[in-house]
Amino acid sequence: PVPMIKDFGSMLIIGVIACYVLAIFFLMSILYSHDRRRTRTAAAKKAEANQIGFVEKGLGRLAPGIIKNPAVILSLALVLTIAGVIADGHIQTETDETKFISPNIPVIKDIQTLGKLSSGGSMSANILVEGADISQPSTLEWMLQVEAQTRNNPAGSVRGANSIADTVATAAGGTIPQNPIQIKGIIAALPTQISSNLITSDFKAANIIISLNGAITGDQSRQLIETMKGYIAATPSGVTAVVTGSPVIQNMTFDALTGGRTRMTFIGIALVFCGLIFLFRFRLLRAIMATVPIALILGWSSGVMWLTGIKYNPLTSTLSA
């Protein structure tokens, strides 16, 4: 569900195809031309064949010890994988888009400065209220009630709330007028910069702005959204309301990254297994033996991420796949 991950996957597909085409045509042509011009003596060829590199020597010495202790090696690998899978559930997901960019960029510095000037942050949530005529007294009184409940949110993440309802009430002396014509007159007298952000000119949609105490975590965002949904569950007749804004986007991003990451991983393992089945001519045991190390690596990667404090983001979420 994350567009940037889809684009990343498309880029990888293009890259694989390009590598394959270049390897088949361009690289083979170079190697063939190069080998045709090489003239080597029999002694040189023999010496080259007998030459063993550092890596080969190291693996040659390591192999006997591994072969003699398979139970220890396999048990250790399995334990580390299980520990990594358990740790995966405790790896945090970074949904703050400002953290995806270098903090030294001027625009990010400006956002951080704005957050300090805003007494804890500049993030806000919104409740979109829609109906045939939002300026009706019953609708505005309901909006005032939602604002009061939101300000008293026990989670403590809300700093304030305002809408066209409290603006009209303030202009009318503290209460909502019961005359719709008077309400429309008050709204018409407001500066355009204020009214355009709170209600549409046809009075069919209004905005309840909820100021938050700075950036909030994914769990806080989810809790806030569920609480606000409870506040707007019972709307006046003919009126609908929905929670929107930064916390909703943050929550959707969190769910997309965590849920999509798991699906991508299992699909990746399944595709590798299917490819190996064909490669080994439908010998099931061989395909399983070749797939198991790949699955174990996924657990190891999660364990390393948890130990080093690396968070999941749109890029690291593609690591397993």
Side-chain angles (χ1 to χ4, degrees):
V2 183
M4 68 174 69
I5 292 183
K6 288 185 177 181
D7 293 340
F8 181 66
S10 300
M11 185 188 71
L12 291 178
I13 293 173
I14 295 172
V16 168
I17 295 173
C19 288
Y20 183 78
V21 171
L22 287 173
I24 290 296
F25 297 99
F26 185 75
L27 181 59
M28 287 188 66
S29 300
I30 291 178
L31 292 176
Y32 177 71
S33 301
H34 179 263
D35 287 343
R36 282 188 65 184
R37 292 193 299 266
R38 290 188 65 181
T39 56
R40 295 177 296 172
T41 64
K45 292 181 180 180
K46 184 177 180 180
E48 187 175 301
N50 293 331
Q51 186 177 5
I52 300 178
F54 173 77
V55 175
E56 288 84 351
K57 291 180 180 179
L59 292 175
R61 294 174 180 175
L62 186 63
I66 296 176
I67 295 172
K68 292 177 181 178
N69 301 282
V72 176
I73 298 296
L74 294 176
S75 299
L76 180 60
L78 187 60
V79 168
L80 291 175
T81 298
I82 295 174
V85 171
I86 296 174
D88 185 79
H90 300 280
I91 299 175
Q92 296 182 346
T93 300
E94 184 61 77
T95 55
D96 183 1
E97 60 273 11
T98 62
K99 299 293 180 63
F100 301 160
I101 308 173
S102 170
N104 298 322
I105 295 178
V107 66
I108 300 299
K109 291 182 178 180
D110 293 341
I111 292 176
Q112 293 173 345
T113 303
L114 178 62
K116 295 176 182 179
L117 293 175
S118 302
S119 301
S122 56
M123 180 179 283
S124 64
N126 303 81
I127 298 176
L128 175 62
V129 183
E130 295 180 291
D133 186 358
I134 301 301
S135 65
Q136 292 297 312
S138 59
T139 303
L140 295 182
E141 289 174 350
W142 174 80
M143 291 174 66
L144 281 179
Q145 179 182 352
V146 171
E147 287 186 56
Q149 291 176 315
T150 303
R151 293 192 190 97
N152 296 325
N153 179 26
S157 56
V158 176
R159 189 171 71 249
N162 67 287
S163 69
I164 192 64
D166 60 74
T167 303
V168 170
T170 301
T175 58
I176 299 293
Q178 296 303 304
N179 187 344
I181 297 178
Q182 183 182 356
I183 293 175
K184 286 182 170 63
I186 294 175
I187 296 174
L190 294 173
T192 305
Q193 294 87 343
I194 297 177
S195 61
S196 62
N197 194 36
L198 299 177
I199 193 169
T200 56
S201 57
D202 58 4
F203 305 109
K204 291 185 178 181
N207 178 23
I208 301 178
I209 304 173
I210 301 168
S211 303
L212 305 178
N213 291 320
I216 57 178
T217 64
D219 291 338
Q220 290 176 325
S221 176
R222 184 178 287 102
Q223 181 183 0
L224 176 64
I225 292 170
E226 293 302 320
T227 302
M228 291 169 59
K229 284 181 178 180
Y231 296 158
I232 62 176
T235 59
S237 178
V239 175
T240 60
V242 62
V243 182
T244 183
S246 298
V248 177
I249 296 176
Q250 184 185 61
N251 193 40
M252 291 179 63
T253 304
F254 181 88
D255 292 338
L257 290 179
T258 53
R261 171 171 53 83
T262 303
R263 288 194 298 272
M264 284 190 299
T265 301
F266 282 111
I267 291 173
I269 294 176
L271 291 175
V272 169
F273 178 76
C274 292
L276 291 173
I277 280 286
F278 284 101
L279 180 66
F280 292 127
R281 300 179 181 180
F282 299 97
R283 295 176 181 176
L284 184 62
L285 183 59
R286 290 192 177 186
I288 293 175
M289 290 176 63
T291 306
V292 167
I294 300 174
L296 295 181
I297 290 171
L298 301 179
W300 289 26
S301 299
S302 298
V304 172
M305 289 183 67
W306 180 75
L307 288 173
T308 56
I310 299 176
K311 297 182 180 180
Y312 279 118
N313 59 42
L315 186 57
T316 55
S317 293
T318 65
L319 172 65
S320 296

